[in-house]
Amino acid sequence: MMNKLSLGQVEWKEFLIGGKDGIFSISSSNSGIDKSKLIEVIGKIPYITRSEINNGVNLFVGKEQSKKYSLNKGNVITIGLDTQTVFYQPHFFYTGQNIQILEHKNITKYIALFIIPLLKIQMRKFNWGGNGATLTRLKRTKILLPIDSLGNPNWKFMEDYMIEKEKYLINCLKNKYARQVLTNTIKIKLMEQQNWNEFFLEDIAIIESGERLTKNEMDCGLTPFIGASEHNNGLTNFTNSVNKSLDKNLLGVNYNGSVGFSFYHPYKALFSDDVKRVKWKEVRFNNKYTLLYLSNAIMQQKAKYAYGYKFNAQRMKRQKIMLPVNSNNQPDFEYMSNYMKKIESEKIKTYFQKKKLNY
């Protein structure tokens, strides 16, 4: 069922974000604690920074911090100055420096999710240095919002629209994964019943380099660019650039940066020169499930690589990994595929059970 509510069915009007005539009350964080000055660094309270990932959460800290800092209440929107990051914070939290907080009595999770993309559009005009998102500039910034018959922000429409959008997406998710769970319900041997053997990575896999592409050389576009990151599946940018590293249906394995992290990429992407492109030599077995199995096998080895023992190209080739084998003592691709399908089905079932959703 498609959404019944439409963005075109309401009127829109410009509003200042903050200031005397603005929509939101904008203030600096109550905390603004430099990370090096955190006291209790293990806990359950989000520590929000100007990071662009993980909803701005850098880590979770304890409640006991310096008395000059106080907790910020939840149900607000945070904006990171300089980085122009925008997130909804549902719970009490501490922050790093240069975080601005937007509050409104009518805000809810769904209203925040409606407004955040509109705020992000406006944040594009700010950047690092002299044109950053200062408090003064934020207050003068305008956004378009749907309005009611009195010309005020139509909070009910915003909330209803996002609730409806969420229900639609959940139904799509349920339909997709219900079929997948049924398809992938497979009985397989226990791991201890399976035969195993060690292989040098270069004997079973094709290992190819990425290609250097600096930020100055990179044109904005829609092609994923895979860097040596441990976050976001290794995706660090989107580009219009093209080079010989363009590839798909393979692993990107970091041998610099976040060393040893490995991610599967079913889509066409460009790869940094700090990332190796890895796929099975047995081309017909290159698929999502066998490559995810290989990815996990590779990542089991990352702990042994550090500054004094780098994960260079030669060591990657000679890295031994343990794999299930068939009666010919060759990698058992069928077992690997079925094993990962089983794991995926179990994760899907657990997710729906936690969300109390039928599928």
Side-chain angles (χ1 to χ4, degrees):
M1 183 181 69
M2 295 298 293
N3 285 10
K4 294 180 180 178
L5 294 176
S6 165
L7 297 178
Q9 74 185 62
V10 288
E11 292 187 40
W12 296 69
K13 180 177 149 184
E14 272 189 343
F15 293 91
L16 287 165
I17 292 176
K20 181 181 176 182
D21 300 315
I23 295 296
F24 296 100
S25 165
I26 306 180
S27 59
S28 296
S29 165
N30 293 334
S31 46
I33 314 171
D34 186 89
K35 191 173 181 178
S36 64
K37 296 180 180 178
L38 289 168
I39 298 173
E40 192 178 358
V41 295
I42 298 176
K44 297 182 179 180
I45 298 172
Y47 174 66
I48 307 300
T49 65
R50 289 170 288 171
S51 170
E52 298 176 4
I53 59 176
N54 298 331
N55 212 58
V57 179
N58 185 273
L59 70 161
F60 289 88
V61 300
K63 192 173 182 179
E64 298 305 317
Q65 301 298 333
S66 172
K67 291 182 179 179
K68 65 180 179 180
Y69 303 119
S70 57
L71 276 168
N72 300 281
K73 65 181 182 180
N75 194 38
V76 297
I77 294 172
T78 54
I79 295 181
L81 303 187
D82 296 321
T83 54
Q84 290 69 244
T85 50
V86 189
F87 297 110
Y88 172 67
Q89 307 301 338
H91 309 295
F92 281 90
F93 59 97
Y94 286 115
T95 76
Q97 296 175 337
N98 296 324
I99 301 290
Q100 299 295 316
I101 296 173
L102 278 62
E103 299 179 71
H104 193 282
K105 63 180 181 179
N106 289 330
I107 202 168
T108 65
K109 178 183 94 169
Y110 294 104
I111 289 171
L113 292 175
F114 187 99
I115 290 174
I116 283 172
L118 304 176
L119 289 171
K120 285 183 175 179
I121 290 171
Q122 298 306 316
M123 293 302 106
R124 292 175 189 167
K125 65 186 177 185
F126 301 117
N127 52 48
W128 279 94
N131 192 35
T134 64
L135 180 57
T136 300
R137 286 172 180 155
L138 283 178
K139 287 180 177 180
R140 293 175 181 169
T141 298
K142 295 179 179 180
I143 58 171
L144 277 171
L145 292 176
I147 56 173
D148 58 23
S149 58
L150 299 176
N152 298 317
N154 194 333
W155 305 108
K156 186 177 187 311
F157 173 84
M158 289 185 255
E159 182 160 54
D160 289 348
Y161 181 86
M162 294 308 294
I163 289 173
E164 194 173 81
K165 175 71 77 174
E166 181 183 65
K167 286 180 179 176
Y168 171 71
L169 292 174
I170 286 173
N171 281 330
C172 290
L173 192 70
K174 284 165 61 178
N175 293 334
K176 175 184 176 182
Y177 287 118
R179 292 191 299 271
Q180 201 161 316
V181 167
L182 290 173
T183 303
N184 293 343
T185 301
I186 302 166
K187 288 186 177 180
I188 63 170
K189 285 185 194 177
L190 296 174
M191 295 185 78
E192 54 267 29
Q193 297 172 329
Q194 177 67 35
N195 293 323
W196 298 81
N197 200 3
E198 283 185 334
F199 296 89
F200 288 115
L201 193 56
E202 66 176 346
D203 291 340
I204 56 171
I206 299 168
I207 305 172
E208 297 178 305
S209 298
E211 186 163 320
R212 185 170 178 76
L213 185 64
T214 66
K215 285 187 177 180
N216 291 336
E217 296 169 335
M218 194 180 298
D219 296 324
C220 291
L222 298 176
T223 302
F225 178 75
I226 309 304
S229 170
E230 63 186 270
H231 302 293
N232 297 331
N233 217 53
L235 199 158
T236 58
N237 217 324
F238 288 90
T239 180
N240 237 359
S241 304
V242 177
N243 61 40
K244 65 182 181 182
S245 76
L246 186 67
D247 214 336
K248 69 174 183 177
N249 192 35
L250 79 173
L251 303 180
V253 181
N254 301 347
Y255 72 101
N256 274 324
S258 296
V259 173
F261 280 88
S262 171
F263 300 104
Y264 172 61
H265 304 284
Y267 39 76
K268 280 188 177 180
L270 292 182
F271 294 80
S272 158
D273 59 337
D274 290 324
V275 179
K276 293 291 187 183
R277 294 173 287 145
V278 178
K279 63 180 77 172
W280 297 109
K281 283 186 175 180
E282 292 279 356
V283 178
R284 68 185 187 278
F285 294 118
N286 281 308
N287 61 59
K288 170 185 171 182
Y289 297 106
T290 60
L291 286 168
L292 283 173
Y293 194 100
L294 178 61
S295 177
N296 279 280
I298 291 171
M299 285 206 291
Q300 292 295 318
Q301 304 299 323
K302 68 182 176 64
K304 75 182 188 184
Y305 295 102
Y307 291 107
Y309 190 71
K310 290 186 177 296
F311 193 35
N312 57 33
Q314 189 57 32
R315 284 179 179 149
M316 185 182 292
K317 289 179 182 179
R318 301 304 290 172
Q319 174 60 59
K320 286 183 179 180
I321 57 172
M322 187 73 76
L323 292 176
V325 293
N326 56 28
S327 57
N328 296 320
N329 209 31
Q330 294 301 309
D332 191 337
F333 293 103
E334 183 180 5
Y335 181 85
M336 287 186 267
S337 180
N338 288 339
Y339 183 84
M340 295 309 294
K341 286 178 181 178
K342 182 174 181 290
I343 294 294
E344 182 180 63
S345 294
E346 288 171 355
K347 295 293 185 183
I348 292 168
K349 288 178 182 177
T350 300
Y351 173 80
F352 281 113
Q353 286 166 359
K354 283 184 177 178
K355 295 293 183 181
K356 298 181 179 178
L357 298 170
N358 296 319
Y359 58 88

